[in-house]
Amino acid sequence: MLKITHLSKRYGSLQALDSLSFDVGAHELVGFVGANGAGKSTTIRALLGQLRLNSGTVAVFGQDAWRRAIDIHARLAYVPGDTMLWPNLTGGQCIDRLGGFHGTMNRARRDELVERFELDPTRRFRTYSKGNRQKVALVAALACDVELLVLDEPTSGLDPLMEAVFQAVVTERSAAGTSVLL
């Protein structure tokens, strides 16, 4: 699903990544951990095709992440650590718009996740707390039928009860065959 080989990235004199290599196989759930500033988000931006590398390769679904980003994005869902979406739309509208980017949203799963995450989808996005903004992004990603979930600090802002819901849902998706980079 994902193969990162000798990934290096510099920002001026700052070495953000230095020959990082790892992979995520089909149906695997992989935790990618490190201290703040260790390069986790930089790595994720590279695999999403959002930045050029100084050296190394990133292949997602066997395709070059930089050259084939559009094709790759059709097969994955991504959740950032802090979500800012359309402030005047409701949470439900944001979920549907995000899910529409993939064209693969499972409506029944969407509705179930809204309930499990105890999210009021009728409120405007701008009125949500950080945790509820995160729930919107999580529901949108987890409701999509994709091959790979890329979750960058996905529980940021969630309370412990919702973290437990998140862990259960991710475990279910992994058991159902979705690969997860967490």
Side-chain angles (χ1 to χ4, degrees), residues 51-93:
L51 59 84
R52 286 190 185 266
L53 310 172
N54 293 105
S55 64
T57 60
V58 178
V60 183
F61 312 122
Q63 301 178 69
D64 180 272
W66 178 256
R67 290 185 180 91
R68 305 298 300 211
I70 293 171
D71 297 329
I72 289 167
H73 281 256
R75 298 170 61 188
L76 65 76
Y78 165 65
V79 175
D82 191 20
T83 304
M84 290 305 296
L85 298 171
W86 305 273
N88 292 324
L89 295 182
T90 65
Q93 290 169 325

Side-chain angles (χ1 to χ4, degrees), residues 94-107:
C94 289
I95 291 167
D96 294 342
R97 183 152 303 167
L98 287 171
F101 292 152
H102 301 290
T104 58
M105 179 167 285
N106 179 315
R107 298 291 299 182

Side-chain angles (χ1 to χ4, degrees), residues 156-175:
S156 177
L158 296 184
D159 63 50
L161 295 175
M162 289 301 111
E163 284 189 33
V165 171
F166 166 78
Q167 291 172 6
V169 172
V170 167
T171 300
E172 292 162 13
R173 290 301 311 275
S174 179

Side-chain angles (χ1 to χ4, degrees), residues 3 24-25 36 39 41 50 59-61 66 80 84 92 120 128-129 148 160 173:
K3 185 166 185 66
V24 177
N36 289 338
S41 294
Q50 296 176 344
V60 183
F61 312 122
W66 178 256
M84 290 305 296
D120 178 355
Y128 283 140
S129 66
L148 175 64
R173 290 301 311 275

Side-chain angles (χ1 to χ4, degrees), residues 131-150:
N132 282 326
R133 289 194 315 264
Q134 201 65 13
K135 289 177 189 181
V136 168
L138 287 169
V139 168
L142 295 167
C144 288
D145 293 322
V146 292
E147 297 168 63
L148 175 64
L149 290 167
V150 179

